[in-house]
Amino acid sequence: KAGVTQTPRYLIKTRGQQVTLSCSPISGHRSVSWYQQTPGQGLQFLFEYFSETQRNKGNFPGRFSGRQFSNSRSEMNVSTLELGDSALYLCASSFSGTTGELFFGEGSRLTVL
Amino acid sequence: GDSVTQMEGPVTLSEEAFLTINCTYTATGYPSLFWYVQYPGEGLQLLLKATKADDKGSNKGFEATYRKETTSFHLEKGSVQVSDSAVYFCALSATDSGNTGKLIFGQGTTLQVKP
């Protein structure tokens, strides 16, 4: 069974640009969550999608947005990038998202210059 | 709001030593508790979980007991191996967001095991 796939794995952007990250969940999983990982703040919850609907949202500015498609694949977008957005962005999937048993991808490492 | 506090690392041990990584939590409800592990260059993997008070989660020689009276979920292993070197995260299922996939993570504890 294929795991959670995130693309791209690495990317470099400059301030003010926007970026889109993609996540393909494990087949059959309908919940997709996104987390930001930084050395200073650790792992912080961004948002969760279930059946194409945002079910929960963390405390991030509106520049961070996401969506989920009918095949459960998800994308997150960050507009007007800031230096502080440099981080590892982790996607996690689960069948229902109700048990806390999440399956994580390897992440997309974003560097903002 | 909910929060998780882990002992700061790094923790450096010799192979076959006993491991304890402390984790305490604050929550308004009754969360499920988890330990996740992140090996170098990889995403997080669920190591073990406990869903109610006094439950003991175990996997790969690691154990943790859900202690409601002390709001703790300490991770232990009797004899660590070099292959256990990784970052360990304690987490809880957020109690303020209904039954969803939101987890609150601790800061992570880096474990280095030397041969």
Side-chain angles (χ1 to χ4, degrees), chain B residues 12 16 19 21 26 41 62 64 73 98 102 111:
Chain B
T12 303
E16 299 184 3
L19 168 70
I21 300 178
T26 302
F62 291 89
F73 192 56
K102 177 181 178 181
L111 170 65

Side-chain angles (χ1 to χ4, degrees), chain B residues 17-102:
Chain B
F18 183 85
L19 168 70
T20 299
I21 300 178
N22 291 335
C23 171
T24 57
Y25 68 90
T26 302
T28 54
Y30 302 97
S32 294
L33 301 174
F34 308 87
W35 278 99
Y36 279 82
V37 58
Q38 187 175 32
Y39 297 102
E42 299 184 12
L44 278 73
Q45 303 174 23
L46 177 64
L47 181 60
L48 54 83
K49 72 169 188 176
T51 59
K52 61 183 186 296
D54 300 326
D55 267 2
K56 177 185 282 188
S58 61
N59 186 25
K60 299 180 181 179
F62 291 89
E63 294 183 339
T65 301
Y66 191 141
R67 301 286 188 199
K68 185 182 173 188
E69 63 276 11
T70 55
T71 61
S72 65
F73 192 56
H74 305 321
L75 182 68
E76 297 182 336
K77 186 175 185 183
S79 176
V80 294
Q81 305 299 312
V82 173
S83 57
D84 294 326
S85 298
V87 182
Y88 292 81
F89 293 91
C90 184
L92 61 78
S93 55
T95 60
D96 60 349
S97 60
N99 212 17
T100 71
K102 177 181 178 181

Side-chain angles (χ1 to χ4, degrees), chain A:
Chain A
K1 198 174 191 180
V4 177
T5 303
Q6 292 188 244
T7 57
R9 290 291 313 280
Y10 303 92
L11 64 168
I12 300 173
K13 294 286 187 178
T14 57
R15 280 181 298 175
Q17 288 187 310
Q18 74 164 14
V19 66
T20 299
L21 308 178
S22 179
C23 173
S24 293
I26 291 172
S27 178
H29 285 189
R30 297 167 65 190
S31 167
V32 174
S33 303
W34 289 88
Y35 290 82
Q36 182 195 65
Q37 185 176 23
T38 60
Q41 299 298 316
L43 278 156
Q44 293 188 289
F45 174 79
L46 280 157
F47 27 65
E48 182 205 7
Y49 288 86
F50 181 81
S51 293
E52 302 179 66
T53 300
Q54 187 180 86
R55 189 156 70 174
N56 209 341
K57 190 177 189 303
N59 296 322
F60 279 81
R63 301 185 296 106
F64 292 81
S65 63
R67 58 178 175 169
Q68 186 180 34
F69 302 95
S70 58
N71 62 358
S72 292
R73 190 177 70 84
S74 177
E75 289 180 348
M76 67 163 284
N77 184 275
V78 188
S79 62
T80 319
L81 284 166
E82 301 177 359
L83 296 179
D85 297 333
S86 295
L88 181 67
Y89 290 88
L90 292 167
C91 168
S93 77
S94 68
F95 179 71
S96 64
T98 60
T99 65
E101 295 182 52
L102 305 182
F103 294 81
F104 284 82
E106 295 179 325
S108 292
R109 183 166 295 282
L110 170 66
T111 301
V112 182
L113 302 178

